[in-house]
Every structure is written in structure tokens, then in C-alpha cells.
Amino acid sequence: MANVIRDDIIEYVGILAKLELSQEEKETAKEDMGRMLDYIDKLNELDTDGVEPMSHVFSMNNVFRDDVVSNGDDRENILKNAPKQKDGAFKVPRTVD
């Protein structure tokens, strides 16, 4: 493991993540973070010349549909569920004085 994580880095990450870690958990986190950084170093060794950047592994197309009103103005049926209504709208208790 070439990447060695210092104790103060683990403390700082714990503070940022709002975690209270025991000494055993800190040691485990140091080892895990070191392995992650080693893996990133290994990935940096790959030759990516000529590889196009991509946003997703699989080809994806956005699926859009027309924004069409399907139920129309059904105000009368909607207001049947209202406990109180006024002038064709729901009437609710006042929340601001």
C-alpha cells in the first residue's frame, strides 16, 4: 500500500462527515482510504489516448413526450373532494396573520 493516510486526515474527514469514530474504526478507515487511493493510482496508469469521454457506460437516449393535457378542466370533480371551497378553488385555513 503506497498511499499512507495520516491520522490528522482521518480526524478531518470524520469532522466533515460528522462522524465519531473509535480508534479501531479510524484504523480501518485509514486502510480503506489507502486502498482506494492505490486503486486510483492504478487507474491513472491506463492509456486512455483516443478514448472518447462518456457520461454513461450504456448508450442512453432521453425519452421525451409531448406535454399534453389529458384530463382537461375537471375542476368540478376535483372540488368535490374539498372540505371547503370558494370561487372555484380550495379554501384553506389562513396560515399568515
Side-chain angles (χ1 to χ4, degrees):
M1 189 163 76
N3 289 295
V4 179
I5 309 297
R6 298 188 324 258
D7 289 337
D8 60 327
I9 299 291
I10 294 296
E11 287 288 329
Y12 182 65
V13 170
I15 290 168
L16 291 176
K18 298 183 191 277
L19 296 174
E20 292 182 24
L21 301 173
S22 66
Q23 192 59 38
E24 182 180 307
E25 291 170 326
K26 289 178 187 176
E27 291 301 318
T28 303
K30 280 172 49 174
E31 292 171 10
D32 290 344
M33 288 176 77
R35 281 196 300 271
M36 284 184 249
L37 292 174
D38 289 340
Y39 186 70
I40 291 170
D41 287 344
K42 187 171 193 133
L43 290 175
N44 285 335
E45 295 173 6
L46 293 173
D47 179 20
T48 57
D49 291 338
V51 177
E52 290 291 322
M54 60 181 157
S55 62
H56 203 278
V57 177
F58 304 108
S59 61
M60 302 205 42
N61 296 321
N62 287 330
V63 179
F64 293 108
R65 63 173 173 78
D66 292 333
D67 190 12
V68 178
V69 177
S70 59
N71 61 349
D73 186 14
D74 202 12
R75 181 182 308 236
E76 201 172 293
N77 284 330
I78 293 170
L79 287 174
K80 285 181 184 177
N81 295 319
K84 294 181 183 177
Q85 53 179 300
K86 181 179 178 182
D87 300 326
F90 286 93
K91 183 175 180 184
V92 296
R94 175 176 277 185
T95 57
V96 179
D97 290 326

